[in-house]
């Protein structure tokens, strides 16, 4: 489906996400498990804050001199005998890839997990080609493909919303007759995928980092599927976002260390590979090597307050600490890029009309900023998006905007503010209901609660308690005034 | 034309950045600190070996330290323990370096042994890797910090040798056990710069293929070898 993964309105997506109890539990478990693994791995490395600064300095330098690094990289790919295509749009990239497959007379395409190729929606384009098969080979992506191309819900664990029984049902359609043990199902997938790998003539991979000074690409996987995709097929097509470069292997090694610890708490990803066009004398690896470098609106972030989002290395750590992601999951965002990074990146790539709600899908707790291995100030960027939408683009319309204007007027006028305080109890009385008084709520609100509150108040009362405000005579300000008049202690 | 649409693309980026192209020569990247080089730099070779064993076994990897004279028997026993051949071996002079030429002859007498052949075509070598129950490689380095071995592709030791066989064993000399990936990358960059290494693929392999994609339960052997063994040989 490309960058936008749902046509449903934001509120409907959230409501759907709230119903999925398994996904809720699974995400909570993943976040809790990954917290321990990630923090232990970082602590064991030591000097984590200085490592983050090191990673940030590499990424910021590359972005600052991006045209030069891209030129150096493409020159070196060419020197090795490869080809580079610069694509401004997803259509340009897709057309080029489809042409390569046609020219190479390719029939069997194997893919390793790649966010950028999902951005292209290349799978659907390949499905439309006669005599061409396409297979996602990452286990999670394979599961999603076989479940009628279900959308991913996490950057690192795309099928986190699926349970073992669902996977078993999906695999049964392929001839699996075993139980729901993940190890047994993984063995089945291994056998199934192996045959398809061996007949593949085109391998499509992503790229964790492109090495500017050598023309090699750096791929990190735990399954090894990217290594099979770049070893067996005669042709390899690499698709990368234009910002995914490092100056040399030396900096790639640093980024790989940050990535593995931040993504899943590993010291290194199981397979860290630096590879490119086949060298003389070698018999496997790509004889024909193509790199597609995609802009797709990334350049809109350059030279703006959002430039730092291009530092992202797609570790997914910000998802794994986000309280909003924990509640609404990946599908709630409706973007290929969920979580805090997605809430910042999606409006840049797809525009505010499509993804304008996402910067508001945050509590601004800054846990994402605290965990980011390359020091992207994610929560500040979300605030900047909100500023753009409200102040620059004037996108806030309708009843919410009206309410905010009323609140703005009311709180900026002492008279109006005092009037609001005086009549708050009476004004909210239509929505006030008495709950049984208990030992725990007696001193808090005496049992009077606002339920199904009006307008924006409803957003709060739908999910949280809101005690009824006290009558004017019981108000703290009134009490304080009387207390002071009676000579009471005020300090 | 092997590079398409470049200038227009890069000019646009430069315009967005508000600076002309070709500034990098005057502003090369300067590493902010020396943490990569300093991490574990205080460990002795013996300490690094101990750390390498601990981290490898945690992956899990079967880890052996042997004297050169013990290596042939260990390899024979290993092949037997994994159910025998077909065995896939690289074509390399390192067999001579490790005094394994007699072992090569003896194992070929009892097991099906194939070699990754420098003069064979893609299909032949891939078929040998596909049918192999076991492959044995020679590693360039072992990384103590992560329990990793590093291998570089050449005409006699192709990429798929490391990924298609069911069981995988890699041999590394004790003198090549280094602290971390920093040292290995520095060596590869130095060799490439000097023109002594023209490998199209360098792999850092840290244990067996694995996945946590089904309910986060870690399983091994989704694509690559089901199990991995490291052998550190005294030198």
């Amino acid at each position: 489906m490309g960058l936008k993964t749902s046509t449903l309105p934001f509120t409907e997506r959230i409501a759907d996400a709230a119903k999925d109890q398994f996904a809720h539990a699974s995400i909570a478990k993943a976040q809790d498990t990954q917290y321990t693994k990630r923090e232990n791995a970082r602590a064991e490395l030591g000097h984590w804050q200085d490592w983050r600064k090191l990673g940030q300095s590499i990424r910021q330098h590359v972005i600052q001199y991006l045209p030069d690094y891209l030129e150096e990289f493409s020159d070196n790919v060419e020197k090795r005998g490869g080809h580079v295509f610069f694509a401004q749009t997803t259509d340009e990239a897709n057309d080029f890839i489809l042409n390569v497959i046609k020219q190479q007379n390719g029939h069997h395409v194997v893919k390793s997990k790649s966010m950028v190729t999902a951005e292209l929606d290349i799978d659907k384009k390949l499905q439309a080609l006669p005599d061409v098969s396409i297979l996602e080979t990452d286990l999670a992506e394979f599961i999603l493909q076989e479940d009628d191309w279900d959308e991913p819900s996490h950057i690192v664990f795309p099928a986190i919303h699926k349970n073992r029984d669902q996977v078993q049902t999906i695999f049964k359609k392929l001839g699996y007759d075993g139980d729901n043990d993940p190890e047994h199902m993984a063995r089945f997938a291994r056998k199934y995928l192996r045959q398809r790998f061996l007949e593949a003539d085109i391998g499509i991979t992503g790229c964790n980092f492109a090495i500017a000074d050598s023309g090699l690409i750096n791929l990190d996987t735990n399954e090894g599927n990217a290594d099979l995709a770049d070893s067996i097929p005669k042709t390899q097509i690499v698709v990368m976002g234009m910002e995914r470069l490092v100056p040399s292997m030396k900096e790639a090694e640093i980024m790989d260390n940050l990535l593995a610890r931040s993504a899943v708490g590993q010291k290194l990803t199981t397979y860290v590979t630096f590879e490119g066009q086949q060298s003389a004398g070698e018999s496997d690896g790509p004889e024909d090597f193509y790199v597609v470098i995609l802009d797709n609106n990334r350049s809109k972030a350059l030279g703006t307050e959002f430039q730092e989002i291009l530092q992202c290395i797609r570790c997914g750590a910000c998802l794994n600490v986000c309280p909003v992601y924990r509640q609404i999951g990946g599908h709630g965002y409706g973007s290929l890029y969920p979580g805090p990074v997605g809430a910042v990146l999606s409006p840049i790539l797809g525009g505010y009309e499509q993804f304008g709600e996402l910067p508001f899908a945050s509590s601004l707790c800054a846990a994402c900023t605290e965990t980011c291995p390359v020091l992207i100030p994610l929560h500040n960027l979300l605030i900047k998006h909100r500023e753009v939408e409200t102040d620059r683009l004037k996108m806030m319309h309708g009843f919410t905007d009206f309410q905010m204007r009323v609140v703005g007027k009311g709180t900026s006028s002492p008279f109006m503010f005092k009037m609001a305080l005086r009549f708050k109890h009476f004004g909210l009385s239509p929505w006030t209901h008495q709950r049984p008084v208990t030992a725990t709520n007696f001193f808090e609100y005496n049992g009077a609660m606002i339920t199904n509150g009006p307008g924006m108040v409803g957003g709060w009362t739908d999910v949280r308690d809101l005690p009824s405000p006290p009558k004017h005579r019981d108000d703290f300000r009134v009490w304080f005034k009387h207390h002071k008049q009676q000579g009471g202690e005020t300090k | 034309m092997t590079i398409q649409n470049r200038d227009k693309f890069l000019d646009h980026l430069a315009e967005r950045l508000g600076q002309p192209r070709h500034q990098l020569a005057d502003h090369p990247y300067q590493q902010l600190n020396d943490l990569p080089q300093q991490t574990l730099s205080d460990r002795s070779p013996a300490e690094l070996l101990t750390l390498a064993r601990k981290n490898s076994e945690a992956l899990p990897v079967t880890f052996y330290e042997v004297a050169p004279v013990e290596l042939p028997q260990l390899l024979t026993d290993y092949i037997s323990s994994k159910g025998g051949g077909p065995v896939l071996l690289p074509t390399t002079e390192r067999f001579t370096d490790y005094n394994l030429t007699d072992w090569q002859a003896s194992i070929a007498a009892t097991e099906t042994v194939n070699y990754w052949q420098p003069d064979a075509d893609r299909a032949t070598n891939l078929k040998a890797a596909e049918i192999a129950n076991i492959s044995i490689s020679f590693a360039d380095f072992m990384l103590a910090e992560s329990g990793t071995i590093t291998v570089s592709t050449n005409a006699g030791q192709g990429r798929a040798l490391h990924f298609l066989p069911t069981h995988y064993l890699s041999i590394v000399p004790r003198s090549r056990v280094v602290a971390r990936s920093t040292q290995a990358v520095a060596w590869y960059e130095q060799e490439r710069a000097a023109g002594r290494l023209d490998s199209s693929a360098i792999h850092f392999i840290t244990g067996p293929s694995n996945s946590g994609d089904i309910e986060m339960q870690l399983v091994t052997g989704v694509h690559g070898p089901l199990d991995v063994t490291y052998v550190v040989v005294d030198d």
Side-chain angles (χ1 to χ4, degrees), chain A residues 387-400:
Chain A
E387 288 172 358
V388 170
E389 290 188 60
T390 53
D391 298 343
R392 207 180 302 169
L393 300 176
K394 311 290 184 194
M395 288 179 67
M396 296 299 126
H397 303 294
F399 190 51
T400 300

Side-chain angles (χ1 to χ4, degrees), chain A residues 68 78 190 194 253 282 285, chain B residues 2 23 122 181 200 223-224:
Chain A
D68 295 354
E78 185 182 36
R190 173 191 176 91
R194 179 61 66 91
E253 181 263 330
E282 295 173 356
Chain B
T2 55
Q23 302 292 304
R122 170 186 294 270
S181 42
S200 76
H223 293 288

Side-chain angles (χ1 to χ4, degrees), chain A residues 415-432 450 468-473 475 478:
Chain A
F415 173 76
M416 295 287 285
F417 187 65
K418 283 175 185 168
M419 289 297 285
L421 288 179
R422 180 172 286 272
F423 293 107
K424 63 184 182 301
H425 178 79
F426 176 74
L428 286 168
S429 59
W431 296 279
T432 302
I450 309 289
S468 171
K471 291 175 182 169
H472 180 63
R473 66 169 183 268
D475 188 274
V478 176

Side-chain angles (χ1 to χ4, degrees), chain A residues 48-67:
Chain A
W48 178 246
Q49 297 308 320
D50 290 328
W51 279 100
R52 295 175 81 198
K53 290 175 190 166
L54 180 58
Q56 178 197 37
S57 74
I58 293 168
R59 296 296 297 139
Q60 285 192 339
H61 187 268
V62 166
I63 303 303
Q64 190 61 44
Y65 298 99
L66 191 56

Side-chain angles (χ1 to χ4, degrees), chain A residues 283-415:
Chain A
S283 54
D284 65 349
E287 293 170 36
D288 304 295
F289 183 76
Y290 298 86
V291 181
V292 179
I293 298 173
L294 179 69
D295 181 336
N296 193 28
N297 291 332
R298 286 165 171 77
S299 58
K300 284 186 175 173
L302 289 177
T304 74
E305 62 266 58
F306 299 110
Q307 184 166 311
E308 286 168 293
I309 196 61
L310 298 180
Q311 292 165 212
C312 178
I313 59 173
R314 305 289 190 270
C315 67
C318 60
L319 280 69
N320 291 338
V321 297
C322 179
V324 174
Y325 179 83
R326 191 181 183 100
Q327 296 303 320
I328 69 174
H331 290 167
Y333 289 84
S335 168
L336 176 65
Y337 298 104
V341 62
V344 176
L345 187 62
S346 304
I348 296 168
L349 299 185
Y352 289 107
E353 287 301 326
Q354 285 199 89
F355 297 110
E357 311 98 336
L358 297 190
F360 295 89
S362 167
S363 66
L364 300 179
C365 68
C368 48
T369 299
E370 282 299 306
T371 200
C372 177
V374 289
L375 288 170
I376 301 173
L378 287 156
H379 76 289
N380 284 330
L381 296 182
L382 290 171
I383 294 171
K384 287 181 195 300
H385 270 313
R386 296 181 185 189
E387 288 172 358
V388 170
E389 290 188 60
T390 53
D391 298 343
R392 207 180 302 169
L393 300 176
K394 311 290 184 194
M395 288 179 67
M396 296 299 126
H397 303 294
F399 190 51
T400 300
D401 184 52
F402 172 74
Q403 291 175 93
M404 292 305 291
R405 286 177 189 278
V406 169
V407 171
K409 291 281 185 195
T411 53
S412 60
S413 157
F415 173 76

Side-chain angles (χ1 to χ4, degrees), chain A residues 115-130:
Chain A
M115 301 298 288
V116 181
T117 58
E119 211 176 302
L120 298 180
D121 206 14
I122 188 70
D123 289 336
K124 298 282 165 55
K125 307 285 186 299
L126 292 170
Q127 281 179 282
L129 289 182

